[in-house]
Amino acid sequence: MLKVKSSKKVCVTERFSIFYLFMEIVITDIKEIECITDALILPLCEGEGPIPYRDIDSALSGLIGRVMSSREFEGRHNQIALLHTPDDIIGPRRILLIGLGKRAEMTGEGIRQAGGKAASYLDSLGFKGVSLSTRYIASLMHSPTVFIEGILLSLYKFKKYRKEDTEGGIEKLTVLGRVEDLDRPIRWIEAVSLGVNFARDMVNTPSNDMTPTALSEIARGLAKDKVSVEILEREDAEREGMGAYLSVARGSMEPPKFVVLRYNGGNGPPIALIGKSITFDSGGISIKPSEGMEKMKYDMAGGAVVLAVIKVASEYELPINLIGILPAAENLPGGTASKPGDIVKTINGKTVEIINTDAEGRLALADAIGYAKKFRPRVIIDIATLTGACSVALGSEAIAMMGNDRGLMDKLRSIGDETYERVWQMPLYDEYREYLKSDIADIKNTGGKTGSLVTAAYFLREFAGDTPWVHLDIAGTAWAEKEKPYIPRGATGIGVRLLLNLLREI
Ligand code: BES
Ligand code: MN
Ligand code: ZN
């Protein structure tokens, strides 16, 4: 028997407790029928009857088989049946059958969703201790850990602002299977899911609490042995010449914080991760319509991903070097705000004509990219809720990806398919340079509506130069309007699983 972890509320800083619901995970090789638990989850394929669990079925005098032939449960994907077990016959008080669909059509994502579905169902019934039989999924040449990933991701709740929300939930998950096969993969999946839920908490937190200062304090809380955190104040950023980034913060009373994290876990040049960290985007003087503006607290989702990735990478001790940069600011239309037509100077000396103060993300990112280049990174990856056009193009099904490093983009594409944080590449044709030509400055910050997903990225490309660089636009995917089996409404934490799995592979 192996205990993996037990934590409920994690204090990252004194002022900002982050609640990411977590439970104790125990891995053990005892038999299902001997496991004392509120509910035992048995995944099943369509059209195969109770065969994989013959021993359990016969202990229950054929109950599972009877349910499956009654058509109440056929094993269709995400189909559920909850069975009461007779007193004292077997350990589990309930059996939850969860359908995986037809064996031939089964995918990792299908299994992940089934995990989410099963867990949120049991959670809604108030069960405290649940267990999962892994032997059947393992026999199908799939890893049971994706099912567990679905469980951990689906149980996330944003609990910070309502007293009644702070209690309840599944407290213990017992995983039944071969300990030596499950231990390492479950540790990884647990660390990653913790990271996703950490990011979700930061993004769901409203902008009056999740200010640039708050973000910088959370970053400071991640400092430890191999992680150093530096925070550049407004004057420091001025000294560095980050005029574009600073122009975004001019209209707000919240001071900008340019956060730089360094994780030294390996050798060689670092990978630089830059996350857009606009804690609220009103649009500035080019103000947005009020309808839906409340959602613009999620304009720091990229920064949350970077913090989560550094946290998990350092706790898991990935053997790599990372730089994390969060150019945090609030975009408001105060009396000192920058105005359309203003010209600002970036860290690398290029001047930018601000046509639209709502195209603020690229201003902050341009200086962050310029700053990242000082570390001579082997690659820069930026992740940002950059354009409304991203969700126009791809809805909430894929991250838009652009960049100048084909190898890395191919890698991200395949990891995206695996994690189901899918990415889709968009072009960066040289012709887009025309769209951003200014009459009086080196470049302007928007080329208007047409092609605005790609011209935003093209703007960044001008600052990346010949440093290998990939841009991920998560505007369409970082916030879920509709829940999915393991993604509750609100912040999704997208990007955390994608980037952590990328980093683990390189
Ligand atoms: N943060 C927004 C992009 C966004 C919009 C994210 C909706 C999530 C949901 C970004 O700063 C922005 O306002 N972009 C503008 C650019 C335009 C002015 C060229 C846009 O896409 O409308
Ligand atoms: Mn904007
Ligand atoms: Zn924005």
Side-chain angles (χ1 to χ4, degrees):
M1 180 134 81
L2 198 75
K3 241 186 199 179
V4 173
K5 194 180 259 175
S6 169
S7 58
K8 267 246 144 170
K9 170 181 154 189
V10 178
C11 262
V12 178
T13 71
E14 248 170 70
R15 269 177 58 205
F16 304 97
S17 337
I18 300 279
F19 288 81
Y20 29 144
L21 166 133
F22 245 68
M23 57 180 147
E24 184 184 2
I25 301 178
V26 173
I27 309 170
T28 165
D29 54 10
I30 62 166
K31 287 207 177 96
E32 285 94 341
I33 51 176
E34 284 159 13
C35 180
I36 311 286
T37 176
D38 293 337
L40 167 70
I41 303 171
L42 298 181
L44 277 159
C45 281
E46 190 174 343
E48 303 199 352
I51 292 160
Y53 305 111
R54 221 175 235 145
D55 53 333
I56 308 172
D57 194 39
S58 59
L60 292 170
S61 322
L63 175 65
I64 300 174
R66 278 200 302 284
V67 171
M68 292 192 88
S69 50
S70 74
R71 298 278 196 97
E72 279 167 39
F73 177 86
E74 296 154 305
R76 276 182 283 114
H77 185 228
N78 289 350
Q79 196 184 15
I80 273 177
L82 185 69
L83 316 180
H84 288 231
T85 59
D87 272 349
D88 301 328
I89 295 211
I90 61 171
R93 307 312 318 138
R94 304 275 191 284
I95 300 266
L96 183 83
L97 307 179
I98 172 82
L100 300 176
K102 293 206 176 75
R103 185 194 275 249
E105 290 164 13
M106 202 166 41
T107 60
E109 170 64 7
I111 297 175
R112 194 180 286 116
Q113 286 187 11
K117 197 85 194 183
S120 37
Y121 179 69
L122 291 175
D123 190 62
S124 74
L125 296 179
F127 291 107
K128 294 273 173 250
V130 305
S131 51
L132 167 71
S133 169
T134 62
R135 61 169 140 143
Y136 181 50
I137 294 177
S139 77
L140 299 171
M141 311 305 288
H142 276 278
S143 165
T145 49
V146 285
F147 193 96
I148 299 166
E149 185 175 44
I151 295 179
L152 299 180
L153 293 175
S154 71
L155 294 178
Y156 170 79
K157 290 189 193 87
F158 184 53
K159 293 182 160 187
K160 236 156 89 181
Y161 293 89
R162 244 181 359 199
K163 248 213 178 88
E164 67 207 65
D165 280 345
T166 51
E167 271 144 51
I170 296 176
E171 287 165 3
K172 181 175 170 186
L173 171 67
T174 306
V175 182
L176 304 167
R178 282 169 56 93
V179 177
E180 57 274 35
D181 293 348
L182 291 168
D183 175 33
R184 277 176 54 89
I186 288 181
R187 265 174 213 280
W188 172 250
I189 231 89
E190 205 218 8
V192 172
S193 307
L194 206 96
V196 175
N197 292 340
F198 176 49
R200 287 172 172 176
D201 250 14
M202 286 185 272
V203 178
N204 281 326
T205 303
S207 73
N208 57 328
D209 283 339
M210 195 48 62
T211 58
T213 304
L215 262 182
S216 72
E217 285 185 24
I218 293 172
R220 248 200 205 108
L222 302 184
K224 56 180 196 140
D225 209 9
K226 290 176 177 168
V227 182
S228 64
V229 181
E230 190 188 355
I231 291 153
L232 278 64
E233 305 294 333
R234 193 193 305 267
E235 310 75 55
D236 305 315
E238 263 161 21
R239 218 171 303 120
E240 294 285 345
M242 298 198 249
Y245 158 62
L246 287 171
S247 75
V248 178
R250 287 181 55 102
S252 168
M253 298 290 279
E254 290 293 340
K257 302 278 171 177
F258 191 93
V259 181
V260 184
L261 304 103
R262 310 180 66 164
Y263 165 57
N264 277 333
N267 300 309
I271 294 166
L273 302 175
I274 301 176
K276 176 173 172 182
S277 304
I278 303 300
T279 55
F280 189 78
D281 180 13
S282 70
I285 297 297
S286 316
I287 198 162
K288 288 180 181 296
S290 55
E291 190 169 325
M293 203 202 269
E294 73 282 358
K295 266 175 54 189
M296 277 302 119
K297 66 177 184 181
Y298 89 86
D299 217 14
M300 39 59 75
V305 169
V306 171
L307 289 181
V309 167
I310 300 242
K311 176 172 163 55
V312 176
S314 63
E315 283 170 0
Y316 201 81
E317 301 187 330
L318 285 181
I320 48 170
N321 290 335
L322 292 175
I323 304 286
I325 299 180
L326 288 81
E330 186 178 61
N331 187 21
L332 290 190
T336 54
S338 51
K339 305 164 291 292
D342 286 0
I343 295 179
V344 293
K345 196 177 206 166
T346 59
I347 191 167
N348 64 0
K350 270 199 178 108
T351 54
V352 183
E353 184 181 8
I354 301 175
I355 300 299
N356 189 319
T357 64
D358 197 11
E360 85 296 339
R362 62 200 79 181
L363 296 172
L365 292 175
D367 277 331
I369 290 172
Y371 192 83
K373 285 173 76 156
K374 295 185 180 202
F375 296 95
R376 303 212 160 275
R378 60 194 261 207
V379 61
I380 296 174
I381 301 174
D382 80 74
I383 180 160
T385 46
L386 202 62
T387 67
C390 177
S391 44
V392 174
L394 298 169
S396 48
E397 307 313 319
I399 297 170
M401 171 172 69
M402 287 141 278
N404 60 17
D405 184 332
R406 183 162 295 278
L408 184 63
M409 287 196 286
D410 288 346
K411 188 129 223 166
L412 279 163
R413 167 95 192 267
S414 79
I415 293 173
D417 288 345
E418 258 167 55
T419 55
Y420 224 62
E421 297 197 331
R422 292 171 296 180
V423 295
W424 195 258
Q425 194 186 339
M426 295 292 188
L428 279 186
Y429 302 132
D430 290 332
E431 282 80 355
Y432 294 128
R433 174 171 292 134
E434 290 296 317
Y435 293 49
L436 297 171
K437 278 221 162 111
S438 161
D439 288 335
I440 52 174
D442 294 327
I443 193 169
K444 56 184 182 182
N445 78 331
T446 151
K449 260 208 161 105
T450 53
S452 66
L453 168 62
V454 286
T455 55
Y458 201 93
F459 182 91
L460 300 180
R461 179 196 167 154
E462 296 281 7
F463 293 87
D466 44 23
T467 304
W469 154 81
V470 175
H471 161 65
L472 300 170
D473 194 333
I474 54 170
T477 47
W479 190 265
E481 290 294 344
K482 276 205 314 229
E483 66 169 17
K484 292 183 180 173
Y486 58 89
I487 306 176
R489 271 160 58 88
T492 62
I494 196 169
V496 176
R497 293 193 295 124
L498 177 73
L499 291 179
L500 279 170
N501 282 292
L502 173 80
L503 296 178
R504 190 170 69 149
E505 276 192 28
I506 48 183

